[in-house]
Amino acid sequence: MNNTNVLFLTHSKDSYVPQLIEKCLAKKGLKMVRMNTDSYPLNIKLTAFQSNEVVSGELTVDGVTYQLDEFCAVYFRKNMQANLTSELSGDLLKQATKEASAAKNAILYALESVFWIDYPFDIQRAENKQLQLLLAKQVGLIIPNSLLSNDPTKVEKFYHQEQGHIISKMLTPLKNFMQSASSFVYTSKVKEEHLSQLESLKLCPMQFQQEIEKAYELRVIYVDGHFFTGKISTTAITDSNKPDWRRANSNDFFWQEYCLPTEVSDKITHLMNRLSLKFGALDLIKSINNEYVFLEVNPCGEWGMLQQSLDLPIAEQIAECIHNNVMKGKKHAA
């Protein structure tokens, strides 16, 4: 079969990256089929049929129907739930939303014979922040002292152990794209007055980490062994109470292209292989002690701002990765 369709899983507010990916795939002779995952089931039809003799399925998006076996690859960027509040309410809304997500995932994630960047179950495993830190340390990367707990006494002890220099962060994102949202919780510095509020941990455990005194921050985009790194200007974060660069006004900082030392990039490659990921957006700190400190990897992290600001060929490399693996799969099939 000479399939050239690449299924692109994203959301309806994704505007810059899809156009880049579509153009780059087209140059490789591949056609991108966009599925806004939050538009299912209201505006997208997805069907699967199985018997002892036949397995088939089809996707209808924007009035066009595709057989699922027409896809040679899937680029998993985001998978979001639909908002069904215009149609349902109460328990029926909750159940329908849950069933829609289960049906969508069941059909799409069963496409095991095609190339994924990256496969959802690999992404799910790699999103485990405790596993990330464990594997990062094993491959030789430096990590900050970290505590995950719902025990207020343990957090208070950790605070004093680090001389009051710790930050708090969520384990899971509350939103799926970079635009501001009132529900988004940024990485924040823990102050002494916060220690009296730790009882809330009984309801919501949190990750706490040693605050690294930084020279600057780095966003590293990894694509199948290739690196695209942006350095955030040291003027971006001038307030020590705001250790998360995303809280800075976009007019107050800029990206600079950066080249990681080979010894660091080699360790990251080893980490990404251990996580079974072809793609990832990593956050690192270059400390004032001249050390590269690993913070986390986001398996579906944002990268458009680096390509837009620095003209880094990230979309081109993603398309190259997909094309090469599709061609490899066709050779094996032959």
Side-chain angles (χ1 to χ4, degrees):
M1 299 180 68
N2 189 30
N3 300 344
T4 59
N5 290 335
V6 175
L7 181 59
F8 182 87
L9 301 180
T10 186
H11 58 85
S12 55
K13 294 184 179 180
D14 198 4
S15 59
Y16 175 65
V17 166
Q19 287 85 345
L20 286 176
I21 293 294
E22 186 171 25
K23 290 178 182 178
C24 293
L25 287 175
K27 291 178 181 178
K28 298 289 183 181
L30 299 172
K31 176 186 175 182
M32 188 187 90
V33 177
R34 174 173 179 165
M35 176 180 173
N36 292 327
T37 53
D38 54 333
S39 295
Y40 174 84
L42 288 177
N43 301 308
I44 290 176
K45 295 177 181 178
L46 192 57
T47 302
F49 174 80
Q50 294 195 51
S51 71
N52 290 320
E53 295 79 24
V54 177
V55 176
S56 65
E58 63 180 37
L59 166 70
T60 301
V61 56
D62 295 330
V64 180
T65 297
Y66 303 89
Q67 300 303 308
L68 292 183
D69 62 8
E70 293 177 7
F71 293 105
C72 61
V74 183
Y75 177 18
F76 186 108
R77 180 161 157 80
K78 292 289 188 290
N79 185 5
M80 295 175 60
Q81 289 185 345
N83 183 351
L84 303 178
T85 54
S86 63
E87 306 292 330
L88 301 168
S89 62
D91 290 341
L92 192 57
L93 170 64
K94 294 178 183 178
Q95 188 63 29
T97 300
K98 186 170 71 170
E99 287 294 306
S101 291
K104 174 179 58 177
N105 296 348
I107 295 174
L108 295 178
Y109 296 0
L111 298 175
E112 291 187 299
S113 62
V114 302
F115 173 70
W116 284 78
I117 185 170
D118 280 296
Y119 191 62
F121 296 144
D122 290 331
I123 291 174
Q124 184 177 13
R125 172 179 174 269
E127 285 177 335
N128 184 329
K129 297 297 192 295
Q130 290 298 105
L131 179 64
Q132 289 183 17
L133 291 171
L134 178 66
L135 295 181
K137 183 172 62 174
Q138 289 179 1
V139 302
L141 290 167
I142 298 171
I143 65 171
N145 296 335
S146 302
L147 176 73
L148 173 59
S149 182
N150 67 334
D151 186 339
T153 60
K154 294 291 193 295
V155 177
E156 186 168 358
K157 181 179 178 181
F158 183 60
Y159 175 85
H160 292 298
Q161 173 188 313
E162 299 297 334
Q163 289 80 48
H165 299 297
I166 68 171
I167 55 93
S168 63
K169 60 197 299 187
M170 301 292 288
L171 291 174
T172 57
L174 292 180
K175 67 189 187 74
N176 288 278
F177 37 92
M178 295 291 286
Q179 287 85 356
S180 61
S182 58
S183 61
F184 187 72
V185 178
Y186 294 99
T187 297
S188 301
K189 183 176 177 63
V190 177
K191 302 179 183 179
E192 189 166 4
E193 57 262 33
H194 295 149
L195 299 181
S196 63
Q197 305 168 15
L198 294 177
E199 289 301 314
S200 62
L201 290 175
K202 294 179 179 178
L203 300 175
C204 183
M206 290 191 73
Q207 175 91 50
F208 299 88
Q209 287 186 333
Q210 164 195 15
E211 184 179 20
I212 304 298
E213 200 167 352
K214 57 197 169 191
Y216 45 81
E217 295 181 66
L218 300 170
R219 169 54 69 103
V220 181
I221 305 303
Y222 172 93
V223 185
D224 199 19
H226 298 266
F227 290 84
F228 306 91
T229 303
K231 170 187 172 183
I232 303 169
S233 168
T234 53
T235 60
I237 308 297
T238 57
D239 186 347
S240 62
N241 295 323
K242 297 180 179 180
D244 194 320
W245 61 268
R246 290 163 297 185
R247 300 181 71 176
N249 188 306
S250 59
N251 296 323
D252 296 335
F253 77 92
F254 57 92
W255 295 96
Q256 294 176 296
E257 189 171 356
Y258 191 87
C259 183
L260 283 175
T262 301
E263 64 179 53
V264 176
S265 60
D266 285 347
K267 291 173 183 177
I268 291 176
T269 298
H270 193 186
L271 171 63
M272 298 301 282
N273 289 337
R274 292 285 300 274
L275 291 171
S276 301
L277 295 179
K278 296 285 188 184
F279 173 88
L282 299 95
D283 291 323
L284 274 65
I285 284 177
K286 179 71 176 295
S287 75
I288 61 170
N289 297 323
N290 207 35
E291 294 178 324
Y292 290 89
V293 182
F294 169 85
L295 298 181
E296 64 180 359
V297 53
N298 303 287
C300 298
E302 292 295 338
W303 52 266
M305 66 284 191
L306 288 185
Q307 177 140 0
Q308 191 171 41
S309 298
L310 301 176
D311 199 28
L312 299 178
I314 301 171
E316 289 81 353
Q317 192 60 54
I318 292 173
E320 179 74 13
C321 176
I322 293 173
H323 176 264
N324 289 346
N325 281 276
V326 168
M327 293 299 105
K328 187 188 304 181
K330 288 183 177 181
K331 287 181 181 179
H332 289 167

